[in-house]
Amino acid sequence: MQVHLVDATYELFRAHFSPRPPVRGRDGMVLSGVSGLVEQLCYLVRDQGATHVGCATDRVVRSFRNDLYPGYKSEEGMDPAVLAQFPIAEAAIEALGFALWPMVEFEADDAIAAAAERFAEDDRVERVLICSADKDLAQCVRDGRVVLWDRRRDVVYDDAGVRAKWGVPPASVPDRLALVGDASDGFPGLPGWGDRSASAVLARYGRLEDVPANGSDWDVPGLRNPVGLAATLRERMGEAMLYRDLARLRTTADGVPIAQANVDQLAWPGADRDRWEAFCDEWWLPRLRTRPPRWLDDPVR
């Protein structure tokens, strides 16, 4: 079997900001994100053959990382219209019958990392596909067993794919983000460090703490200004380690709550017709009433 782990927050944002006419529900509320998320989940099981699915959401935007670094991403400046859809999206996921991991202390990415680690250990699982284009999740990739699937472009990143795309092995992705920064998460990286230099150095040394303190000792051909880059890293190592800690995804060992202990609990049984229709009626979304490709009470095929 294959396990599909969906970054539902990513799907919600992508659908909300898609250049299409808005979908409006009850009282004229914009529900484009919810509608798009539902369409994508139904497409995943109807047309792409997913059978075992887990969905992760950010119930709130803030997480424990905001306590580590005040500049980390928060709800400030976000479109209120998309924030208002978070709880409705979770209700839609549950009404469709999918496993849901709503994160409060942690983030949706942490839930996906924790689930990928847990379910990849099951010998019955051939592959875990992380359904997202988020580069942070590339650190979860394990050879060809746990892969990152950009469904929009239909590109699958295994270990070799991560190295080709970002220039480093999956385990070094947090170190790379520490050096170059991550604007979407709100931390800047180190001055002078860019994609090329970070990838080249980490492809050779792997971890921040294993990079030689002096640039003259670096074995990285073709790199500009290694002495200056080394000085910046040496002088701001504490800052870099903080950024790496922000970028490192947590798992169940860190307390990320994943209720399902067995992969069988991710099997999608179909949607409960009454529950789904009640959801669509509550939010005035008649177009979605017939979307589920299978109902819970359908005969076994």
Side-chain angles (χ1 to χ4, degrees), residues 99-168:
L100 172 67
W101 304 308
M103 294 293 105
V104 177
E105 178 185 356
F106 297 96
E107 298 179 51
D109 286 358
D110 296 312
I112 290 174
E117 182 181 77
R118 170 171 291 178
F119 299 117
E121 295 302 317
D122 193 313
D123 291 337
R124 297 171 297 164
V125 175
E126 176 188 352
R127 188 167 63 162
V128 175
L129 294 101
I130 297 173
C131 303
S132 178
D134 190 343
K135 61 184 177 298
D136 297 13
L137 288 163
Q139 65 189 272
C140 302
V141 169
R142 287 175 43 190
D143 301 319
R145 188 164 179 78
V146 179
V147 299
L148 187 64
W149 183 21
D150 182 346
R151 295 174 63 211
R152 183 179 177 185
R153 298 177 178 84
D154 195 22
V155 177
V156 175
Y157 297 99
D158 56 9
D159 185 280
V162 171
R163 292 171 189 263
K165 174 70 173 178
W166 291 284
V168 296

Side-chain angles (χ1 to χ4, degrees), residues 172-289:
S172 297
V173 167
D175 299 79
R176 183 181 181 280
L177 290 170
L179 293 175
V180 305
D182 190 340
S184 63
D185 284 340
F187 59 89
L190 300 189
W193 283 87
D195 289 334
R196 183 177 177 182
S197 55
S199 295
V201 171
L202 292 171
R204 171 63 180 86
Y205 296 110
R207 301 185 304 166
L208 296 175
E209 55 266 47
D210 293 334
V211 177
N214 298 310
S216 57
D217 296 328
W218 288 5
D219 179 23
V220 187
L223 191 66
R224 290 186 178 183
N225 191 27
V227 172
L229 290 172
T232 298
L233 178 58
R234 186 172 61 249
E235 294 163 5
R236 305 180 75 157
M237 179 61 84
E239 189 177 337
M241 297 294 275
L242 170 60
Y243 297 154
R244 185 177 70 177
D245 195 35
L246 295 175
R248 181 181 71 83
L249 298 180
R250 274 42 175 189
T251 66
T252 52
D254 303 292
V256 178
I258 300 295
Q260 295 79 7
N262 190 300
V263 70
D264 295 328
Q265 296 172 281
L266 298 185
W268 185 62
D272 182 282
R273 191 188 307 265
D274 291 338
R275 184 177 184 184
W276 178 247
E277 291 182 349
F279 169 83
C280 293
D281 291 344
E282 178 182 1
W283 293 103
W284 298 3
L285 293 169
R287 193 176 63 86
L288 296 181
R289 284 174 65 99

Side-chain angles (χ1 to χ4, degrees), residues 31-52:
L31 294 176
S32 302
V34 173
S35 178
L37 170 62
V38 168
E39 296 282 7
Q40 286 300 315
L41 288 173
C42 292
Y43 182 72
L44 183 66
V45 293
R46 181 187 62 236
D47 298 291
Q48 296 181 309
T51 58
H52 293 70

